[in-house]
């Protein structure tokens, strides 16, 4: 357990930040050859910098829009304003009061005090929204999700609009794949049920308690998520004090074995929520959440770099023996692929490609698929994650 000094140190580090990072989850930190710059491309304030295996966020430049969080494939960026569990709690508290609709407004719209604060949740910018919350709401029976902006066309942060549109389109694609009836609406006006009747109430009102079906769940999530973030951030702060190599920071053991992996938590939570909504109604889905891989076996040398650097263990060595001695297998788990593209970036022969179109049958099967590759050369230890 962190002591008081640890907690105070962490709070000092987070005091002026809306977004904090866990660098060891960033694929550009894990491998300098990574081409992933999704957070940088999404950032409208040029507040994120990745260079020489280092990830830095300029807290002074950050405008807290949250667009970087929604696009990071490995959840290396965490929102502090608001935290994930705070937003979930606010949604849980306000949905029943808004006639069963989930209404989420940007801070600019909330500042106009035209909506009842008991009936909608607030985020700094709608770019903070991600698919995980939307799909979970649909799984819990919400059929009307309304995202209310403060007229983005005139907002100084309007550069985040493409990020908002991408998230909405992605969420609709996910829900449509399982036949969900949930409707996601982008609008600049509060629905009638949320508009304020009492101006004093809009200025300051106590939030309602969580609705019964999700109250305890939200509190448990808040506690566990907060503890996890505190512990992970404390670990990063301690690493910053010490002179350590990148291998030390990542926890790489001696030898040429597979690098330590991270859990594809967002993928699993989204897939679990989709499974609770219903069975797939389509054969394929275009998505930025999950991915598929294609290997040119004629170019593949069996070096194992793709397996070694895959951050989520979506690619791993297979114990199945190929009938052709010149060929081998590796296992691929579509559910754990986050489209970070590090396998393709690390590939020495450039024979692997990550594609955004996935098979719904395979995705919901949860079983790994055997992918044919060339057999590795004798003595090659890179393709043995146990060495």
């Amino acid at each position: 357990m962190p002591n008081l000094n640890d907690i105070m140190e962490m709070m000092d580090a987070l005091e002026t930040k809306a977004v904090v990072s866990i660098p060891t989850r960033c694929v550009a930190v894990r491998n300098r050859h990574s081409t992933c710059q999704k957070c940088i491309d999404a950032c409208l304030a040029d507040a994120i910098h990745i260079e020489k295996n280092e990830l830095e966020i300029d807290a002074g430049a950050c405008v807290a829009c949250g667009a970087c969080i929604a696009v990071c494939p490995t959840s290396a960026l965490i929102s502090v304003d608001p935290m994930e569990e705070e937003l979930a709690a606010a949604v849980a508290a306000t949905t029943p009061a808004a006639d069963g609709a989930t209404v989420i407004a940007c801070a600019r719209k909330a500042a106009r005090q035209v909506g009842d604060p008991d009936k909608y949740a607030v985020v700094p910018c709608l770019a903070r929204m991600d698919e995980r919350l939307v799909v979970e709401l649909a799984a819990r029976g919400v059929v009307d999700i309304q995202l209310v902006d403060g007229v983005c066309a005139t907002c100084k942060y309007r550069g985040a609009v493409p990020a908002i549109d991408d998230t909405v389109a992605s969420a609709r694609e996910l829900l449509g794949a399982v036949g969900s009836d949930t409707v996601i609406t982008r609008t600049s006006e509060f629905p009638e049920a949320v508009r304020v009747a009492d101006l004093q109430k809009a200025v300051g009102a106590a939030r309602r308690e969580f609705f019964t079906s999700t109250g305890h769940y939200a509190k448990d999530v808040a506690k566990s998520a907060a503890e996890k973030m505190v512990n992970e951030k404390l670990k990063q702060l301690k690493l910053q004090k010490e002179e350590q190599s990148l291998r030390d920071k990542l926890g790489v053991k001696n030898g040429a074995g597979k690098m330590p992996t991270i859990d594809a938590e967002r993928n699993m939570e989204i897939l679990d929520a989709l499974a609770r909504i219903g069975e797939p109604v389509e054969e394929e889905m275009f998505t930025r959440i999950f991915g598929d891989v294609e290997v040119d076996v004629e170019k593949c040398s069996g070096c194992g770099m793709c397996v070694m650097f895959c951050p989520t263990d979506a690619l791993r060595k297979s114990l199945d023996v190929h009938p052709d001695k010149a060929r081998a297998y590796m296992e691929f788990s579509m559910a754990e692929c986050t489209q970070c593209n590090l396998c393709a970036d690390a590939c020495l022969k450039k024979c692997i490609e990550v594609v955004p179109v996935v098979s719904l049958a395979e995705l919901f099967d949860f079983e790994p698929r055997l992918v044919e590759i060339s057999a590795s050369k004798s003595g090659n230890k890179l393709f043995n994650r146990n060495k």
Side-chain angles (χ1 to χ4, degrees):
M1 290 293 292
N3 59 38
L4 181 59
N5 289 335
D6 287 335
I7 294 175
M8 291 302 296
E9 183 179 15
M10 185 201 70
M11 291 307 175
D12 287 340
L14 303 185
E15 185 177 3
T16 60
K17 296 183 179 180
V19 177
V20 295
S21 65
I22 303 178
T24 52
R25 296 183 69 96
C26 174
V27 293
V29 170
R30 295 169 72 92
N31 189 313
R32 68 181 184 276
H33 296 299
S34 170
T35 59
C36 182
Q37 288 197 324
K38 294 179 181 180
C39 59
I40 293 176
D41 294 339
C43 180
L44 56 91
D46 193 28
I48 303 175
H49 306 282
I50 303 175
E51 187 176 2
K52 296 180 180 179
N53 301 104
E54 297 288 340
L55 168 63
E56 295 183 356
I57 301 176
D58 185 342
C62 177
V63 297
C65 69
C68 57
I69 296 167
V71 299
C72 179
T74 55
S75 300
L77 301 172
I78 298 174
S79 173
V80 178
D81 181 23
M83 290 181 66
E84 189 75 32
E85 63 276 3
E86 290 177 325
L87 180 55
V91 168
T94 55
T95 296
D99 293 341
T102 290
V103 181
I104 302 174
C106 71
R108 188 177 190 226
K109 185 66 176 182
R112 295 177 182 174
Q113 300 177 356
V114 294
D116 185 335
D118 278 349
K119 298 181 178 180
Y120 68 92
V122 181
V123 289
C125 174
L126 291 181
R128 168 63 185 82
M129 295 296 299
D130 66 14
E131 295 92 333
R132 175 166 38 187
L133 177 60
V134 174
V135 175
E136 179 62 31
L137 287 169
R140 290 178 176 272
V142 175
V143 296
D144 183 9
I145 300 173
Q146 300 198 31
L147 307 180
V148 186
D149 62 60
V151 188
C152 290
T154 60
C155 179
K156 62 181 178 179
Y157 303 136
R158 56 185 174 272
V161 169
I164 302 171
D165 292 339
D166 286 347
T167 297
V168 171
S170 178
R172 286 172 176 164
E173 186 76 26
L174 290 167
L175 294 177
V178 291
S180 172
D181 294 329
T182 299
V183 176
I184 309 170
T185 305
R186 277 284 310 280
T187 177
S188 295
E189 299 296 335
F190 282 117
E192 187 64 36
V194 175
R195 292 175 191 170
V196 70
D198 181 355
L199 183 59
Q200 288 298 113
K201 188 176 183 181
V203 173
R207 296 289 185 181
R208 299 178 186 269
E209 282 295 323
F210 303 159
F211 53 100
T212 304
S213 63
T214 61
H216 296 298
Y217 169 82
K219 291 177 182 177
D220 290 342
V221 169
K223 180 180 178 182
S224 60
E227 288 178 348
K228 180 177 181 180
M229 195 199 78
V230 168
N231 290 328
E232 290 200 76
K233 194 59 189 176
L234 283 173
K235 180 179 178 181
Q236 294 303 315
L237 290 173
K238 290 178 181 178
L239 289 176
Q240 290 171 10
K241 293 180 181 179
E242 303 171 1
E243 291 295 329
Q244 290 186 312
S245 67
L246 179 63
R247 289 177 61 88
D248 292 333
K249 291 179 181 179
L250 295 176
V252 179
K253 298 179 181 180
N254 293 331
K258 182 173 173 59
M259 293 180 67
T261 57
I262 57 180
D263 293 330
E265 295 176 354
R266 180 170 60 178
N267 280 33
M268 293 306 173
E269 290 174 8
I270 289 175
L271 193 53
D272 175 71
L274 291 175
R276 285 185 280 130
I277 292 172
E279 296 290 329
V281 296
E282 300 176 2
E283 293 185 0
E284 294 183 333
M285 172 178 65
F286 180 91
T287 174
R288 69 179 186 181
I289 300 297
F290 308 97
D292 197 359
V293 295
E294 297 177 352
V295 177
D296 185 340
V297 69
E298 299 304 324
K299 293 171 60 177
C300 175
S301 65
C303 69
M305 283 294 186
C306 54
V307 169
M308 180 177 181
F309 285 103
C310 177
T312 63
D313 215 24
L315 286 173
R316 48 188 178 265
K317 182 183 178 182
S318 174
L319 298 179
D320 290 72
V321 178
H322 198 287
D324 183 348
K325 292 184 179 180
R327 295 283 188 263
Y329 290 120
M330 64 179 175
E331 295 179 356
F332 171 68
S333 173
M334 186 176 289
E336 295 176 292
C337 178
T338 65
Q339 266 193 71
C340 72
N341 212 56
L342 188 52
C343 58
D345 293 333
C347 179
L348 299 177
K349 297 296 184 179
K350 301 304 176 187
C351 64
I352 187 168
E353 180 182 3
V354 181
V355 295
V357 178
V358 301
S359 161
L360 272 297
E362 181 177 344
L363 181 64
F364 280 82
D365 186 48
F366 288 100
E367 288 297 321
R369 179 180 91 232
L370 292 180
V371 178
E372 187 178 76
I373 59 174
S374 291
S376 59
K377 295 180 180 179
S378 177
N380 186 350
K381 296 181 180 180
L382 282 177
F383 212 8
N384 190 340
R385 57 179 173 175
N386 296 318
K387 293 184 178 180

